[in-house]
Amino acid sequence: SSEVLEAIENVIQGVFQSLAQKKAPVLTVANRTDWRNIEFKDSVGLQMIPHCTTKQIRSDCPQSAQRFALMLKILSMIYKMVQSNTYATKRDIYYSDTLLFGSQSAVDCIINDISCMLKIPRRSLHILSTTKGFVAGNLSYTEEDGTKVNCTCSATVCIIKQKHLNRKDLTSHAKFVLIVEKDATFQRLLDDDFFTKVSPCIMITGRGVPDLNTRLLVRKLWDSFQIPIFSLMDADPHGVEIMCVYKYGSVSMSFEAHHLTVPSIKWLGLLPSDLKRLNISKDALIPFTKQDQNKLASIQKRPYIDCQPLWKKELEIMAASKLKAEIQVLTSLSQDYLSRVYLPNKLQFGGWV
């Protein structure tokens, strides 16, 4: 916490020095979302280059004066929270003055800019993400009040919280981790007791695009247990994008890649090649939209696709067919095909890429 306070004090001192010299104060932040500032490293994923281009948030420029003020406002809130050892969610910060902040996305972006500018992980700024991820399966730990939590019981689905990420008492006999894109598929696998039938495993869902805590937990499980991690996504560009976020990270959070990415994640399904192999009826598939075509074309150009020839092939199959499928398409074969046939066969015979 002293590091955070010192970093904020240095920023404010810079503002005072500018004012003392009768100059307009300026905050300098990295261009986080510029691909020219991002490099791909096989062992890490997408990471920010050491000497990246920056942009100035000026206090004397009409286009950036409000952003300058908002950054100082949030810096002061972080400073008070760290001093008093209290925490707030990003939503708490937005709702503390909705008229001032304008939108939740503006608050989220400024918090990431501050984290990057101070070179301090977001979770150390006493700002919590509103958690949406779930975990279940062969995982147990003890709460601070002594309560033992065992996720192995199918009725126990734990919401992924910040406090799970600092635990040193996580125990598991799981043989693998399965990341599931959607909540509906996650719940279906729970109902089928999937994580006890095949072999003990841990199941995680970020319920779509994963929040920070879900990504941190996947990374923590990898660091703690060194077991295979598989992803189960829809066979569409959006599902591939989500899997890439877990595996290689996102451009906007590339400055924290070392704590967030797990480059060893394997694509278990639903593979575009599976649709032909399983004779899925074309009537059950969904035609691409223009947005799907653009998203897929963008993914195919990314630097990490060249390192994954099998992924490249799958994406080419998807691009050629211009058709996509949700995991639920497997129910056209039988109601429990996913948990009874598809996943056990994939895991047994190495049907991942």
Side-chain angles (χ1 to χ4, degrees), residues 59 140 262 335 337:
S59 58
S140 54
V262 184
Q335 277 302 311
Y337 190 85

Side-chain angles (χ1 to χ4, degrees), residues 24-29 55-72 110:
V26 169
L27 296 174
T28 304
V29 297
K55 58 185 176 186
Q56 291 193 326
I57 317 261
R58 301 190 61 86
S59 58
D60 61 346
C61 173
Q63 283 82 18
S64 62
Q66 187 184 11
R67 191 171 185 81
F68 180 91
L70 293 181
M71 284 188 78
L72 287 192
I110 287 170

